[in-house]
Amino acid sequence: QHVDVQNFSGSWGSGLAFCALLHSFFPDAFDFAALEPNARRDNFALAFATAEERVGCAPLLEVEDMVRLPVPDAKCVYTYVQELYRCLVAKGLVKTKKR
């Protein structure tokens, strides 16, 4: 709910897309249904902390940087999602095709 990812900028602006992505792998980490779209700072903080704690994903993005602008920088979001994917693969949580 409240997540419709269409791009790597505005779709990630509330922090809920990051939370939804992490919640899909770690449903016991937090109550996604209790999150509010307007609580951007809290959503980003929760997502980044969960990614670091559960997957070892480097904190490439700062919460303050994400809330400073209404629309996050697409390159920053893409880089973070790419790093999160790499960490999930390394933990064996995402399967990749062998070539």
Side-chain angles (χ1 to χ4, degrees):
Q1 188 174 357
H2 302 293
V3 177
D4 181 21
V5 177
Q6 299 292 319
N7 54 47
F8 281 104
S9 57
S11 295
W12 301 81
S14 70
L16 287 179
F18 288 111
C19 290
L21 180 59
L22 287 157
H23 190 260
S24 70
F25 287 97
F26 308 104
D28 63 323
F30 52 87
D31 181 5
F32 183 79
L35 301 180
E36 294 292 330
N38 294 333
R40 296 177 67 219
R41 180 175 273 104
D42 294 338
N43 296 338
F44 286 119
L46 177 62
F48 298 159
T50 302
E52 189 171 9
E53 292 166 10
R54 299 277 180 126
V55 193
C57 186
L60 300 177
L61 298 177
E62 295 286 332
V63 172
E64 293 307 315
D65 291 339
M66 296 302 289
V67 297
R68 187 169 36 90
L69 299 172
V71 178
D73 180 83
K75 290 178 185 174
C76 292
V77 172
Y78 181 81
T79 300
Y80 186 82
V81 171
Q82 190 176 31
E83 175 65 9
L84 180 58
Y85 174 77
R86 187 192 68 72
C87 292
L88 289 166
V89 169
K91 291 275 187 186
L93 296 170
V94 173
K95 305 289 185 226
T96 60
K97 288 184 179 179
K98 296 195 184 217
R99 294 181 181 193

